[in-house]
Amino acid sequence: MADIVQILTTNPLARQLGVPQPTDLRRGRELPSGPVVLATAGGPGSLVRQTLDLLGINPLDALVDTPATRVTETDEEGRTREVPPSYPSRIGAIVLDATAVTTVEDLEQVRAVLRPALRSLEASGRVVVVGLEPDTAGAPTAVASQQALQGITRTVGKELRKGATANLVLVDLLTATPTTAADLASTLSFLLEGRSAYVSGEILHVGHSGDAAAPAPARRPFEGQIVVVTGAGRGIGAAIAETFARDGAMVVAVDVAAGGEGLSKVANRIGGHALQLDITAPDTGSRIAGHVAQRFGEAARIHTVVHNAGITRDKLLVNTDEERWASVLEVNLTAQIRINAVLLERSLPGGLDDGGRIVTVSSTTGLAGNAGQASYAASKAGLLGLVRAMGADPRLAERGITVNAVAPGVIATEMWGKVPLVKRELGQRMNSLQQAGRPVDVAEAIAHLADPATAAVTGQVLRVEGQLMIGA
Amino acid sequence: MADIVQILTTNPLARQLGVPQPTDLRRGRELPSGPVVLATAGGPGSLVRQTLDLLGINPLDALVDTPATRVTETDEEGRTREVPPSYPSRIGAIVLDATAVTTVEDLEQVRAVLRPALRSLEASGRVVVVGLEPDTAGAPTAVASQQALQGITRTVGKELRKGATANLVLVDLLTATPTTAADLASTLSFLLEGRSAYVSGEILHVGHSGDAAAPAPARRPFEGQIVVVTGAGRGIGAAIAETFARDGAMVVAVDVAAGGEGLSKVANRIGGHALQLDITAPDTGSRIAGHVAQRFGEAARIHTVVHNAGITRDKLLVNTDEERWASVLEVNLTAQIRINAVLLERSLPGGLDDGGRIVTVSSTTGLAGNAGQASYAASKAGLLGLVRAMGADPRLAERGITVNAVAPGVIATEMWGKVPLVKRELGQRMNSLQQAGRPVDVAEAIAHLADPATAAVTGQVLRVEGQLMIGA
């Protein structure tokens, strides 16, 4: 697949044909190069400032566009016009604390700080708006004004160019368990860094974690932790295994026999363990736990399970028989339910640790459906319900266990490379970043959700799709 | 606009060019011509059968695709294959009661009844799946299985051709206030009839109404009722006024002076009242109520207010100043909040009646954002928050007042006719029905939400977009 991406992005012919060349996205654990600007709307708000403090980021104050701050510019032909105030140089990000927005008039302050910032945002820059979960905002006008932030942020995501992204983080401040800076730090760090390269137009919810032991964001958050990844033999699964290994994890890479060769290669490359098994076997959960207990000791427990293995058996529903239907639901949904049930047994040696993480790979098809993929859509939608229900389970919350999903859009895998060229080219341009994502983008989102510091995010789905236009 | 629709749908050149010709949709208060098939999945389920009874529809039992029911077909060359059992003739709709689905295995029954039905569905036929609001379904597996219905229904919507639609209705059965057949009847009637022509891939929530006085669905539900429509001078607003008049309402058509000529034409055509005013004036609410009290008598009260008036002032956010920003939010959001507050005063002569309806026109842009429309997206997103908050207000529920929104996608209005041809053509094909909707489609959805029989739907947004692919 890499070659195709390369052809489309660097082939001189593509340029001559006028194909817009997508920006090479900033990736990895890199902050933007320019300064981070902090703004507020609706009132002072301290949550975001405190969170930036925790992350060691010293922000610039935002410029505000008003008639009084505007400056007169004269063009070559001597015509004058009023333009917003300018930052002295490119900025890396604007983080807007809009949690105090309660009226429609307050939204003017959102416009007034975004306008100058968007003019000065660097390539792969970031717009992060922090608002309230609207339904907790109180009076209908406050709910409406908070909900308006979604329309604004998603529009900004569609207006940005050169790899810049815009996302909205919803927090709870007016509830019994308000979000703290410690809760928010991991998500804000993810959104500012290159790890979130292919996440835009998203709405992320950060609640509050009762888990006082949750650490601050770290560069190698999985140091010494055991992480199990299914379907790890190739594509996105291999990238997931590699990303966790980069971040310090001891990875148990699981795949079926057919994926065997790729599996051992991946495991060798990252110094992890290859475990060959069929996830639909009834004893898979106990075999995984048994492997962990055997290799890492009776006291060892799993920190994260990533359910990445999945299959497709595409057919129109009118042509789908019971076998084809059942096989997809079995692999993509039922097997996970069965494995989770086993690994969540607290007494099981090698099971999931308290403070552990379950992350599953859903799909935008689970949200929007897709012609020819009824069984796949059913399974991937089912996963969204599953994580929401498990995320709401107080028994898991008590143990500090979170359960989340990612929903990848168009990702440049080997599988995607088999889609006919024109369809593929159209498909990968139909998002705000005007390019396909890479497997590592999905892996980074999963690693973020699995991060010990991401303790206040559960029951959520994080789309990794560059603000795909093909939606629900 | 009508001419453009005609050219694209009937021009011989368009056919020669291979432009797929969209189906002329069944519209109005017409049931499908073929029989309605009733199916169940996960268990017997009585809600849907009772609801069809209420509507006077006597359903056929569904055929079920299993290895035992399949028949052997021989083609011209003597090759045989197994095909699902066939209905004796085209069917008009399949209504699937999936409320008893609790396991992944139960979903096989969904496949088994949909497969034969989809093969026999008539043009403009209907697939209506009735499931539980997933979060009320209980165990995580049940939540997942109910959520899977969303992936299936949306996929079916994308696979259907010839104007057929697929929608999912979520009901509450396991809560303290379960949905009854009387609650569901109005929504099921809407979805089966041509009124829902341009609604597909939607997920509609029907709760329970405490309003025992809510009537059964009727052909002229607004007989003798007063309905106020803002922005009624043209386009969608005119269609709304006409649809309510068709259904028996006495319409007060409101528009600004600039819309004056169109306004009086519309009012004359439907035998309604023209009321010329600027909705942003501080006294608009009391002027509307005053007009109603004066023309219809001191005891008269409004049954439905439709907030349709809205403006756009498109610019990239980097070029948007405070005036442009404020004007859009003022007209599209703040004015409505102000008018609602006045009309909801119970003591005000000519105000909103108990059992009344507020319906507002949002937009898919409020859900997904749109480049160049930050202010518009903010206002239309705000409306979604507003109706959700008002729908959750127990004081309104006590009075039997519901508050809902519609979100139109691409609708063939005069305004849409000004979009450049290629962009327009692309835009209106990018949905499952492969055509733009008509103003009447939006009007029908609004009239449905305003229907006295639609008492158990509040705080919702109903998209009228033919399952638009450009999504959130």
Side-chain angles (χ1 to χ4, degrees), chain B residues 85-105:
Chain B
S86 288
Y87 287 92
S89 62
R90 290 270 157 202
I91 62 171
I94 177 166
V95 186
L96 169 58
D97 187 337
T99 54
V101 164
T102 57
T103 68
V104 179
E105 290 70 35

Side-chain angles (χ1 to χ4, degrees), chain B residues 29 186 195 215-225 227 243-244 246-249 303 447-448 450-454:
Chain B
R29 292 185 171 273
S186 179
R195 290 183 283 151
R219 280 193 81 82
R220 282 171 64 86
F222 301 102
E223 198 71 63
Q225 302 284 8
V227 173
T243 299
F244 276 98
R246 177 199 73 187
D247 288 354
H303 181 270
H448 161 61
D451 196 309
T454 313

Side-chain angles (χ1 to χ4, degrees), chain A residues 65-67 70 81 84 104-105 107-111 114-115 118-119 134-135 138-141 143-145 147-152 154-156 158-159 161 201-202 315-323 325-326 329-330 333-334 337 365-375 377-379 381-386 388-390 393 395 430 463 465 467-472, chain B residues 65-67 70 81 84 104-105 107-111 114-115 118-119 134-135 138-141 143-145 147-152 154-156 158-159 161 201-202 315-323 325-326 329-330 333-334 337 365-375 377-379 381-386 388-390 393 395 430 463 465 467-472:
Chain A
D65 175 55
T66 69
R70 244 164 253 154
R81 53 173 200 153
V104 179
E105 291 68 35
L107 296 170
E108 158 59 16
Q109 297 167 37
V110 175
R111 183 206 65 80
L114 287 180
R115 190 181 179 196
L118 298 183
R119 286 168 56 101
D135 291 342
T141 301
V143 175
S145 306
Q147 181 97 19
L149 298 173
Q150 305 192 8
I152 297 169
R154 286 189 156 148
T155 294
V156 170
K158 291 183 174 180
E159 292 184 357
R161 289 290 170 265
E202 266 297 275
K315 281 268 188 199
L316 292 177
L317 185 49
V318 290
N319 297 325
T320 301
D321 65 21
E322 61 284 348
E323 284 176 35
W325 180 264
L329 284 161
E330 172 67 19
L333 182 53
T334 308
I337 294 174
T365 294
L367 293 158
N370 194 20
Q373 298 201 301
S375 57
S379 69
L383 292 176
L384 301 178
L386 186 69
R388 213 172 51 245
M390 293 178 77
D393 185 339
R395 292 167 304 179
M430 292 195 63
R463 295 186 295 187
E465 37 133 72
Q467 195 170 27
L468 193 59
M469 291 197 291
I470 311 284
Chain B
D65 175 56
T66 70
R70 243 164 254 155
R81 53 174 199 153
V104 179
E105 290 70 35
L107 296 171
E108 158 59 16
Q109 298 166 38
V110 175
R111 183 206 66 78
L114 287 181
R115 189 181 180 197
L118 298 183
R119 286 167 57 99
D135 291 343
T141 301
V143 175
S145 306
Q147 181 98 18
L149 298 174
Q150 305 192 7
I152 297 170
R154 286 189 156 148
T155 295
V156 170
K158 291 181 174 179
E159 292 184 357
R161 288 292 169 266
E202 266 298 274
K315 281 268 186 199
L316 293 177
L317 186 48
V318 290
N319 296 325
T320 300
D321 66 21
E322 60 284 346
E323 284 176 34
W325 180 264
L329 285 161
E330 172 66 19
L333 183 52
T334 308
I337 295 174
T365 294
L367 293 156
N370 193 21
Q373 298 202 298
S375 57
S379 69
L383 291 176
L384 301 177
L386 185 69
R388 214 171 51 245
M390 293 179 77
D393 185 339
R395 290 167 305 178
M430 292 195 62
R463 294 186 296 187
E465 37 134 73
Q467 195 171 28
L468 193 60
M469 290 197 291
I470 311 285

Side-chain angles (χ1 to χ4, degrees), chain A residues 248-308:
Chain A
M250 299 179 288
V251 175
V252 179
V254 176
D255 215 324
V256 286
E261 203 191 352
L263 181 64
S264 48
K265 273 189 193 161
V266 170
N268 285 340
R269 195 160 62 233
I270 63 172
H273 297 241
L275 179 58
Q276 196 174 294
L277 49 74
D278 174 357
I279 58 162
T280 63
D283 65 344
T284 299
S286 52
R287 282 187 59 195
I288 290 173
H291 179 90
V292 167
Q294 191 200 335
R295 293 300 180 93
F296 300 101
E298 282 294 312
R301 297 188 73 78
I302 297 166
H303 181 269
T304 296
V305 179
V306 181
H307 292 292
N308 165 69

Side-chain angles (χ1 to χ4, degrees), chain B residues 126-275:
Chain B
R126 294 289 186 264
V127 175
V128 181
V129 180
V130 180
L132 295 182
E133 180 70 42
D135 291 343
T136 67
T141 301
V143 175
S145 306
Q146 284 290 332
Q147 181 98 18
L149 298 174
Q150 305 192 7
I152 297 170
T153 308
R154 286 189 156 148
T155 295
V156 170
K158 291 181 174 179
E159 292 184 357
L160 289 171
R161 288 292 169 266
K162 297 191 178 170
T165 67
N167 292 286
L168 174 62
V169 183
L170 304 180
V171 299
D172 303 325
L173 288 186
L174 309 176
T175 66
T177 53
T179 306
T180 65
D183 293 321
L184 182 57
S186 179
T187 295
L188 187 54
S189 157
F190 171 71
L191 289 175
L192 290 174
E193 291 184 8
R195 290 183 283 151
S196 63
Y198 204 59
V199 175
S200 193
E202 266 298 274
I203 298 169
L204 300 86
H205 179 254
V206 178
H208 175 63
S209 161
D211 187 357
R219 280 193 81 82
R220 282 171 64 86
F222 301 102
E223 198 71 63
Q225 302 284 8
I226 299 164
V227 173
V228 175
V229 181
T230 69
R234 60 179 186 143
I236 292 174
I240 297 167
E242 284 161 9
T243 299
F244 276 98
R246 177 199 73 187
D247 288 354
M250 298 178 291
V251 175
V252 179
V254 176
D255 214 325
V256 287
E261 203 192 351
L263 181 65
S264 48
K265 273 189 193 160
V266 170
N268 285 340
R269 196 160 62 234
I270 64 172
H273 297 241
L275 178 58

Side-chain angles (χ1 to χ4, degrees), chain A residues 22-108:
Chain A
T23 304
D24 198 17
L25 305 179
R26 169 167 59 92
R27 287 191 161 87
R29 291 186 173 272
E30 299 300 324
L31 283 169
S33 51
V36 173
V37 167
L38 173 62
T40 58
S46 60
L47 177 67
V48 173
R49 182 174 290 279
Q50 288 168 12
T51 309
L52 290 171
D53 267 0
L54 274 185
L55 295 174
I57 294 172
N58 188 14
L60 278 190
D61 282 343
L63 296 178
V64 181
D65 175 55
T66 69
T69 61
R70 244 164 253 154
V71 293
T72 305
E73 213 178 57
T74 308
D75 70 11
E76 290 167 358
E77 296 172 31
R79 286 174 306 210
T80 62
R81 53 173 200 153
E82 299 282 290
V83 297
S86 288
Y87 287 92
S89 61
R90 291 269 157 203
I91 63 171
I94 176 166
V95 186
L96 169 57
D97 187 337
T99 54
V101 165
T102 57
T103 68
V104 179
E105 291 68 35
D106 287 343
L107 296 170
E108 158 59 16

